[in-house]
Amino acid sequence: LILMCWRMLSDDEGRRAFTALWAVNPLVIYGEYVIGQIGLMPSLCVVLACYFSLQKEKAHYACLSLGFGCLLKIFPIIFLPMVLCLTSRSIKDAIRLSLYCLIPVAAGFGLFYMISGATALRVFNLASTVSQPAGAISPWVVRIVQAAIYGAVCIHILLRRKQSFNYVLLVQYFMVVYQAIYLSLPVWQTYYYVWCVPFAILCMQK
């Protein structure tokens, strides 16, 4: 994960700062080593998707990374439409690239279903339950806001297709989508924030 983030930084000073902020990050220490969540592996898959999205002829690796990440946690697949907006040249190309993500997901959960039965699909119900916002705000209002934020990001990407992208801008796209995801997660469950820590640190660099 650190190596991939290094490749998205342009200077040694930024790489040293990233390493230092990662090594002593309390969210990573608490979420991974105290609570025992496996947030770093799917987060690595999202980082890989971000990196490969701007690598020539490697867009399929970005989609494949999201597919494998989805087998660990559901949230990486949320980034698939955004990655397709970044990398696909046509609708046909978008369908082709999406299969690199969807086939591993279907095969993985199909295998889990053969072994464990309907229990393997409970992860989708659990994801929906966990993401129900607490308080007076209706879940539908939160969903509409999340959809609006995600749609705005995708539209902005499509409008910039004739211009060049760089990792500074791309990291910001991913970070905005992460913030939209967190709108429907309990604030006190801080280990969820491990997911976006690499992008948060990258955003702090020049």
Side-chain angles (χ1 to χ4, degrees), residues 9 19 23 43 55-56 61 70 74-75 78 80 82 86 88 93 96 105 118 131 133 145 149 174:
L9 293 168
T19 304
S43 180
Q55 296 297 305
K56 188 176 181 180
Y61 289 128
C70 185
I74 296 299
F75 77 88
I78 295 173
L80 179 61
M82 187 178 74
L86 280 163
S88 59
D93 193 37
R96 179 185 65 83
V105 172
S131 61
V145 172
I149 293 173
F174 275 79

Tab-separated table of all heavy atoms in Angstrom, residues 9 19 23 43 55-56 61 70 74-75 78 80 82 86 88 93 96 105 118 131 133 145 149 174:
chain	number	residue	atom	x	y	z
A	9	LEU	N	3.018	9.944	-5.645
A	9	LEU	CA	3.612	11.187	-5.147
A	9	LEU	C	4.802	11.560	-6.017
A	9	LEU	O	5.540	10.695	-6.481
A	9	LEU	CB	4.039	11.027	-3.687
A	9	LEU	CG	2.891	10.842	-2.685
A	9	LEU	CD1	3.420	10.402	-1.333
A	9	LEU	CD2	2.093	12.140	-2.541
A	19	THR	N	4.942	8.289	4.690
A	19	THR	CA	5.372	7.159	5.506
A	19	THR	C	5.269	7.478	6.991
A	19	THR	O	4.801	6.657	7.788
A	19	THR	CB	6.827	6.781	5.160
A	19	THR	OG1	6.922	6.523	3.750
A	19	THR	CG2	7.256	5.537	5.924
A	23	ALA	N	2.768	5.600	9.586
A	23	ALA	CA	3.354	4.759	10.635
A	23	ALA	C	2.789	5.072	12.016
A	23	ALA	O	2.655	4.183	12.861
A	23	ALA	CB	4.870	4.908	10.640
A	43	SER	N	-8.822	-1.542	1.341
A	43	SER	CA	-8.318	-0.191	1.093
A	43	SER	C	-7.158	-0.224	0.103
A	43	SER	O	-7.049	0.638	-0.775
A	43	SER	CB	-7.869	0.451	2.404
A	43	SER	OG	-7.389	1.754	2.188
A	55	GLN	N	-2.837	4.640	-15.517
A	55	GLN	CA	-1.759	3.941	-16.212
A	55	GLN	C	-2.246	3.451	-17.573
A	55	GLN	O	-3.287	2.812	-17.675
A	55	GLN	CB	-1.259	2.755	-15.376
A	55	GLN	CG	-0.627	3.145	-14.056
A	55	GLN	CD	0.618	3.987	-14.239
A	55	GLN	OE1	1.558	3.602	-14.936
A	55	GLN	NE2	0.636	5.153	-13.598
A	56	LYS	N	-1.510	3.767	-18.599
A	56	LYS	CA	-1.931	3.451	-19.965
A	56	LYS	C	-2.125	1.950	-20.146
A	56	LYS	O	-1.267	1.146	-19.764
A	56	LYS	CB	-0.879	3.977	-20.955
A	56	LYS	CG	-1.309	3.878	-22.410
A	56	LYS	CD	-0.272	4.506	-23.307
A	56	LYS	CE	-0.709	4.422	-24.775
A	56	LYS	NZ	0.303	5.051	-25.689
A	61	TYR	N	-6.810	-3.658	-14.801
A	61	TYR	CA	-6.267	-3.955	-13.473
A	61	TYR	C	-6.989	-3.136	-12.393
A	61	TYR	O	-7.166	-3.613	-11.265
A	61	TYR	CB	-4.769	-3.658	-13.419
A	61	TYR	CG	-3.916	-4.619	-14.202
A	61	TYR	CD1	-2.993	-4.162	-15.133
A	61	TYR	CD2	-4.029	-5.998	-14.009
A	61	TYR	CE1	-2.200	-5.045	-15.862
A	61	TYR	CE2	-3.248	-6.887	-14.737
A	61	TYR	CZ	-2.344	-6.400	-15.657
A	61	TYR	OH	-1.571	-7.275	-16.368
A	70	CYS	N	-13.888	-6.213	-3.232
A	70	CYS	CA	-15.284	-6.448	-2.865
A	70	CYS	C	-15.474	-7.795	-2.194
A	70	CYS	O	-16.423	-7.986	-1.427
A	70	CYS	CB	-16.164	-6.339	-4.108
A	70	CYS	SG	-17.925	-6.455	-3.775
A	74	ILE	N	-17.569	-4.873	1.102
A	74	ILE	CA	-18.441	-4.502	-0.012
A	74	ILE	C	-18.067	-3.160	-0.635
A	74	ILE	O	-18.209	-2.946	-1.837
A	74	ILE	CB	-19.913	-4.464	0.461
A	74	ILE	CG1	-20.352	-5.863	0.885
A	74	ILE	CG2	-20.826	-3.948	-0.636
A	74	ILE	CD1	-20.292	-6.895	-0.213
A	75	PHE	N	-17.528	-2.238	0.155
A	75	PHE	CA	-17.428	-0.849	-0.290
A	75	PHE	C	-16.576	-0.601	-1.538
A	75	PHE	O	-16.853	0.360	-2.279
A	75	PHE	CB	-16.939	0.042	0.860
A	75	PHE	CG	-15.470	-0.033	1.153
A	75	PHE	CD1	-14.567	0.779	0.493
A	75	PHE	CD2	-14.974	-0.909	2.116
A	75	PHE	CE1	-13.206	0.726	0.764
A	75	PHE	CE2	-13.635	-0.975	2.396
A	75	PHE	CZ	-12.738	-0.158	1.725
A	78	ILE	N	-18.240	0.274	-4.936
A	78	ILE	CA	-18.885	1.579	-5.099
A	78	ILE	C	-18.084	2.474	-6.049
A	78	ILE	O	-18.638	3.331	-6.735
A	78	ILE	CB	-19.049	2.256	-3.722
A	78	ILE	CG1	-20.011	1.435	-2.843
A	78	ILE	CG2	-19.535	3.689	-3.851
A	78	ILE	CD1	-20.112	1.929	-1.416
A	80	LEU	N	-16.563	1.552	-8.749
A	80	LEU	CA	-16.512	1.045	-10.124
A	80	LEU	C	-17.062	2.032	-11.155
A	80	LEU	O	-16.388	2.278	-12.171
A	80	LEU	CB	-17.239	-0.297	-10.222
A	80	LEU	CG	-17.291	-0.925	-11.619
A	80	LEU	CD1	-15.886	-1.201	-12.140
A	80	LEU	CD2	-18.116	-2.213	-11.604
A	82	MET	N	-17.178	5.227	-11.159
A	82	MET	CA	-16.240	6.332	-11.284
A	82	MET	C	-15.016	5.918	-12.089
A	82	MET	O	-14.541	6.660	-12.960
A	82	MET	CB	-15.828	6.837	-9.900
A	82	MET	CG	-14.983	8.091	-9.938
A	82	MET	SD	-14.555	8.682	-8.296
A	82	MET	CE	-13.325	7.470	-7.805
A	86	LEU	N	-13.597	7.217	-15.814
A	86	LEU	CA	-12.217	7.659	-16.032
A	86	LEU	C	-11.536	6.920	-17.169
A	86	LEU	O	-10.745	7.515	-17.918
A	86	LEU	CB	-11.401	7.447	-14.746
A	86	LEU	CG	-11.528	8.482	-13.642
A	86	LEU	CD1	-11.015	7.911	-12.326
A	86	LEU	CD2	-10.750	9.741	-14.007
A	88	SER	N	-12.946	4.221	-19.492
A	88	SER	CA	-13.591	3.640	-20.677
A	88	SER	C	-13.713	4.674	-21.793
A	88	SER	O	-13.914	5.866	-21.539
A	88	SER	CB	-14.970	3.084	-20.313
A	88	SER	OG	-15.798	4.098	-19.777
A	93	ASP	N	-16.685	-0.497	-24.259
A	93	ASP	CA	-15.462	-0.604	-23.460
A	93	ASP	C	-15.786	-0.627	-21.965
A	93	ASP	O	-15.158	-1.366	-21.201
A	93	ASP	CB	-14.539	0.579	-23.774
A	93	ASP	CG	-13.136	0.378	-23.243
A	93	ASP	OD1	-12.648	-0.763	-23.276
A	93	ASP	OD2	-12.541	1.358	-22.773
A	96	ARG	N	-16.998	-4.069	-21.108
A	96	ARG	CA	-15.862	-5.003	-21.072
A	96	ARG	C	-15.062	-4.848	-19.788
A	96	ARG	O	-14.729	-5.835	-19.124
A	96	ARG	CB	-14.962	-4.757	-22.297
A	96	ARG	CG	-13.728	-5.656	-22.348
A	96	ARG	CD	-12.830	-5.270	-23.511
A	96	ARG	NE	-12.264	-3.941	-23.361
A	96	ARG	CZ	-11.166	-3.685	-22.643
A	96	ARG	NH1	-10.541	-4.664	-21.989
A	96	ARG	NH2	-10.698	-2.450	-22.563
A	105	VAL	N	-16.285	-11.077	-8.492
A	105	VAL	CA	-17.276	-10.948	-7.419
A	105	VAL	C	-18.306	-12.071	-7.512
A	105	VAL	O	-18.618	-12.735	-6.520
A	105	VAL	CB	-17.973	-9.571	-7.485
A	105	VAL	CG1	-19.133	-9.509	-6.493
A	105	VAL	CG2	-16.979	-8.463	-7.187
A	118	ALA	N	-26.962	-19.751	2.097
A	118	ALA	CA	-27.460	-18.377	2.128
A	118	ALA	C	-26.692	-17.491	3.102
A	118	ALA	O	-26.715	-16.265	2.990
A	118	ALA	CB	-28.941	-18.357	2.483
A	131	SER	N	-25.100	0.576	7.432
A	131	SER	CA	-25.100	1.898	6.822
A	131	SER	C	-26.374	2.690	7.072
A	131	SER	O	-26.549	3.750	6.505
A	131	SER	CB	-24.873	1.774	5.301
A	131	SER	OG	-25.916	1.022	4.715
A	133	PRO	N	-28.292	5.337	8.808
A	133	PRO	CA	-27.876	6.461	9.658
A	133	PRO	C	-28.715	6.552	10.912
A	133	PRO	O	-29.918	6.325	10.896
A	133	PRO	CB	-28.090	7.678	8.760
A	133	PRO	CG	-29.144	7.239	7.794
A	133	PRO	CD	-28.927	5.778	7.569
A	145	VAL	N	-28.603	12.292	-1.033
A	145	VAL	CA	-27.419	13.154	-0.951
A	145	VAL	C	-26.187	12.403	-1.449
A	145	VAL	O	-25.365	12.959	-2.215
A	145	VAL	CB	-27.209	13.653	0.498
A	145	VAL	CG1	-25.882	14.385	0.630
A	145	VAL	CG2	-28.368	14.557	0.925
A	149	ILE	N	-23.870	13.455	-4.688
A	149	ILE	CA	-22.420	13.682	-4.617
A	149	ILE	C	-21.695	12.795	-5.620
A	149	ILE	O	-20.820	13.254	-6.368
A	149	ILE	CB	-21.911	13.423	-3.187
A	149	ILE	CG1	-22.472	14.464	-2.218
A	149	ILE	CG2	-20.374	13.447	-3.151
A	149	ILE	CD1	-22.163	14.181	-0.760
A	174	PHE	N	-11.572	10.353	-5.264
A	174	PHE	CA	-11.780	9.191	-4.389
A	174	PHE	C	-12.137	9.641	-2.976
A	174	PHE	O	-12.985	9.030	-2.319
A	174	PHE	CB	-10.524	8.320	-4.371
A	174	PHE	CG	-10.448	7.341	-5.508
A	174	PHE	CD1	-10.052	7.740	-6.778
A	174	PHE	CD2	-10.777	6.007	-5.315
A	174	PHE	CE1	-9.987	6.845	-7.831
A	174	PHE	CE2	-10.718	5.103	-6.359
A	174	PHE	CZ	-10.320	5.520	-7.627
